[in-house]
Amino acid sequence: MRGKLTVGNWKMHGGLTENAGRLAALAKGWHATAGRTLAVCVPFPYLAQAREVLSGSEVGWGAQDVSSHAAGAYTGEVSGAMLADFGCRFAIVGHSERRQYHGERDETVGAKARAALAAGVTPIACVGETLAERDAGTTGEVVERQLGAVVDALGADLARIVVAYEPVWAIGTGRTATPEQAQQVHAALRRRMQQAGARDVPLLYGGSVKAANAAALYAMPDVDGGLVGGASLDANELLAIARS
């Protein structure tokens, strides 16, 4: 049975001092209940701090990216094994900002998901359309193509991942897909995953998720939680979302 998973994505925010208070508030404020899980994905330099503060708590932690390579002459990259050394449970792959600013292709996202799993880290594979693509009526085609690359890369391991639908037009804009819009895409993603033999993969929604709209989004039958951006920088807000 699927539960509700809430994952905070700090993006490129944070500092040792502010992180300390934020992480401590999460560790103190979150008491997991049946079927509800909370985690936070922090910038690479702060993984050690996240492990130190969150170890022994009921809050998981992870990274915002991972290399598709296991090791080698890849300056600046971070492997799945390195993330595992820091106790990471999750690694975000294919976030729209990585696709847009770093030119990541669908095949790269699939390779990163495979590399994370090989190291024992659960990839959170992101898919989502731009505003132009939504207006053109190609949302289904876009997310199917993006998810298809992950399906092809993972095969039987597909059941071990998390998928996040993040409409690009709703990320950091204050605009949010209505619960019904989110459910429509999530239902299509669910059908695709079922066809691939991964019926119970958690499907998260991301895109200006906050405490005020989380309950309505989480109430949708195929929305299994959220990938939370800006709101995750406020520990109390993230806790409220996770409790929705």
Side-chain angles (χ1 to χ4, degrees), residues 4-8 10 21-33 36-40 54 57-60 209-212 214-215 218 226 228-244:
K4 295 297 183 185
L5 168 63
T6 301
V7 180
W10 286 2
R22 189 179 294 149
L23 291 168
L26 291 176
K28 181 179 180 180
W30 180 248
H31 303 288
T33 58
R36 293 189 179 271
T37 304
L38 175 64
V40 61
L54 297 178
S57 78
E58 297 177 340
V59 182
V209 178
K210 41 191 175 290
Y218 282 21
V228 185
S232 70
L233 297 173
D234 181 331
N236 290 329
E237 182 82 0
L238 183 59
L239 288 167
I241 293 169
R243 294 172 184 140
S244 294

Side-chain angles (χ1 to χ4, degrees), residues 95-186:
H95 192 280
S96 65
E97 291 157 4
R98 298 293 308 179
R99 295 177 188 265
Q100 178 180 355
Y101 302 134
H102 300 274
E104 290 194 0
R105 301 170 59 86
D106 297 335
E107 295 75 15
T108 303
V109 178
K112 288 187 171 188
R114 185 172 60 239
L117 282 177
V121 177
T122 299
I124 301 173
C126 299
V127 300
E129 82 283 13
T130 64
L131 181 59
E133 290 164 339
R134 171 163 281 274
D135 288 345
T138 60
T139 295
E141 297 171 26
V142 171
V143 298
E144 164 64 26
R145 186 200 75 229
Q146 293 171 337
L147 182 60
V150 177
V151 172
D152 292 343
L154 298 185
D157 286 332
L158 187 66
R160 298 166 55 201
I161 74 168
V162 174
V163 173
Y165 167 56
E166 292 203 312
V168 180
W169 50 271
I171 298 175
T173 64
R175 298 179 60 181
T176 309
T178 65
E180 293 74 22
Q181 287 174 322
Q183 168 59 24
Q184 183 179 29
V185 177
H186 278 234

Side-chain angles (χ1 to χ4, degrees), residues 192-207:
R192 181 67 178 89
M193 298 299 282
Q194 288 174 340
Q195 291 168 1
R199 180 183 183 89
D200 292 323
V201 165
L203 301 180
L204 312 184
Y205 172 78

